[in-house]
Amino acid sequence: EVVLTQSPDTLSLSPGERATLSCGASQSIENNYLAWYQQRPGLAPSLLIYDASTRATGVPDRFSGSGSGTDFTLTISRLEPEDFAVYYCQQYGSPVYTFGQGTKLEIK
Amino acid sequence: EVQLVESGGGLLKPGGSLRLSCGASGFNFDSYTMNWVRLAPGKGLEWVASISGSGPYIYYADSVKGRFTISRDNAKNSLFLQMDSLRVADTAIYYCARETADGYSPLNYWGQGTVVTVSS
C-alpha cells in the first residue's frame, strides 16, 4: 500500500496569504495519479486537483497543484475566507487507493 | 444531474452486521467505478473499497478486508457495502463516491454520507 504523508498537520494563515501544502508518498505514484480534495465541516469532500496538476471543473485558478513521483504540492495563491478547511491528498495510481492524513488550514 | 444518496447507517454493537446502500442517478451507472470512503470522528478520510463498472475488479483497504464486501446492482443503479464483524473503530460517516472513469481515476462525485456508530 502507498502511504501518503501530508505536512503540516495544521497551517495557520490569514486571508490574502499564500498557502503551501505538501504530500509525500512512500513510493512513486504511477502516472502521477494524485488528487487533492477540500472538505469543509459537515460537507462531503470536493475534488480540487487531479493528475497532480489539473484543476477540476469549476475550481478557482488560485488553486494549483504540482509535483511528480513521490513529492506533491497544493498551492493556494491568495486565501479567501471559504478556503479555510481540511485538505487531503489521495493516490489512485495503485488499485488500493489511499489518502493522506489531512492538513487543516485554519484562520490565524 | 449526478446524485448519490447513501442509506442504511445506524447504531449497533461490536460484532454486528450492517448493509449500506447508495442509490445513483443522472449518469450511466455501469460505466463508472464506485467507491466507499469513510471519515471517523477526529480522523481523516480513509478509502474503504472500490468496484469496477461491470464488477470484476474489487479492492479493499487492509483494515476492512475479510469483513466488508462491496457489490453493485447495475440494473438498479445501486452500490452496496456489507459490513460484518463490526468494530468500534468502524464508527464513521460512510460516503459513496464515483470516479471520473472506470478505474484509476479521482473521485469527483460524492454522496452526503450515512453515519455508522458501533458501540457497546
Side-chain angles (χ1 to χ4, degrees), chain B residues 108-119:
Chain B
N108 66 334
Y109 286 101
W110 297 67
Q112 83 291 347
T114 188
V115 177
V116 174
T117 303
V118 184
S119 174

Side-chain angles (χ1 to χ4, degrees), chain B:
Chain B
E1 179 193 3
V2 172
Q3 285 198 316
L4 299 170
V5 180
E6 302 94 336
S7 60
L11 170 63
L12 62 164
K13 296 187 184 306
S17 296
L18 200 61
R19 189 190 198 209
L20 305 184
S21 300
C22 172
S25 60
F27 63 99
N28 294 326
F29 185 67
D30 59 5
S31 296
Y32 295 87
T33 291
M34 299 295 295
N35 293 252
W36 288 99
V37 177
R38 67 185 181 183
L39 179 67
K43 305 281 189 180
L45 294 174
E46 181 185 15
W47 176 83
V48 172
S50 69
I51 182 168
S52 60
S54 53
Y57 300 107
I58 290 175
Y59 303 99
Y60 296 99
D62 287 346
S63 59
V64 307
K65 195 178 299 181
R67 300 187 300 121
F68 289 11
T69 303
I70 190 172
S71 62
R72 64 192 295 160
D73 183 340
N74 287 343
K76 295 183 178 180
N77 290 348
S78 296
L79 175 72
F80 305 102
L81 186 67
Q82 177 66 40
M83 309 164 65
D84 299 318
S85 303
L86 279 161
R87 305 167 179 169
V88 172
D90 295 319
T91 294
I93 302 171
Y94 284 75
Y95 297 101
C96 159
R98 195 203 84 174
E99 295 190 17
T100 60
D102 195 10
Y104 295 101
S105 55
L107 310 176
N108 66 334
Y109 286 101
W110 297 67
Q112 83 291 347
T114 188
V115 177
V116 174
T117 303
V118 184
S119 174
S120 54

